[in-house]
Amino acid sequence: MTTDAAARSRAVTLPLPAPLLEPRRPALAIAVGWATAFFPSLLLGALLQGVMPDAARPEFNVSGLAAIGALVLFAPIVETLIMGAVLLILLRLVSPTWAVILSAIGWGLAHSSFAPVWGLVIWWPFLVFSTLFVVWRQRSLLAAFAVPAIVHALQNLGPALLIASGQVAGS
């Protein structure tokens, strides 16, 4: 196998913006990763709200600063550690693209256990987070955890601020 062919076999081949698929510019990858995760998940949430207005929503039993700590610090760190461990195993078994897809499906299913509609929305951001993990793993394990964790924290920041300010009920 040539070097180019070997590199392609380790690449994530999903139709995502180029900065998500190359481990070169972390700030750009984080900004594009956040936009690629956040705005489509808002759209998915709005569409599902329109189709299933009475569907159960996730409940967060936190408020105030605890909401920010739980949703912006704790969840992204812990979930990225779990996601990374699972992805490292999946990468030994399947191609990077399939590892990313299976990870996103798994996270959607896991979040569906709390609220079915939530799982239908959450798979997309986890597709982005998983892609970032796999791509940045080429640079280092630290980068593989840090870049998606930061994007995940940014993804959760808006909802956490709404919960913390009391504009949206935490529970």
Side-chain angles (χ1 to χ4, degrees):
M1 188 181 301
T2 67
T3 304
D4 288 342
R8 280 192 303 276
S9 72
R10 291 189 314 268
V12 175
T13 56
L14 293 170
L16 293 170
L20 302 184
L21 302 174
E22 49 195 37
R24 293 192 314 194
R25 296 172 25 202
L28 181 61
I30 289 166
V32 173
W34 170 76
T36 303
F38 188 72
F39 294 112
S41 65
L42 282 180
L43 179 61
L44 280 170
L47 289 171
L48 289 169
Q49 173 71 29
V51 174
M52 298 181 278
D54 297 327
R57 305 281 178 254
E59 293 185 15
F60 302 99
N61 296 318
V62 292
S63 59
L65 287 177
I68 294 171
L71 298 173
V72 178
L73 296 174
F74 182 78
I77 291 169
V78 171
E79 289 182 345
T80 302
L81 288 170
I82 295 167
M83 179 188 76
V86 170
L87 280 166
L88 290 172
I89 293 167
L90 286 171
L91 287 168
R92 293 180 170 273
L93 304 172
V94 297
S95 73
T97 300
W98 276 107
V100 165
I101 291 167
L102 292 171
S103 174
I105 290 169
W107 284 102
L109 291 171
H111 285 81
S112 287
S113 66
F114 299 105
V117 170
W118 194 23
L120 295 173
V121 173
I122 211 71
W123 71 270
W124 177 258
F126 273 94
L127 184 87
V128 174
F129 307 155
S130 297
T131 297
L132 289 168
F133 181 91
V134 170
V135 168
W136 283 88
R137 176 65 185 102
Q138 298 169 47
R139 285 276 294 266
S140 73
L141 197 53
L142 178 60
F145 282 103
V147 171
I150 292 167
V151 173
H152 191 161
L154 292 171
Q155 172 83 11
N156 289 1
L157 181 60
L161 290 173
L162 290 173
I163 293 169
S165 69
Q167 294 180 42
V168 172
S171 59

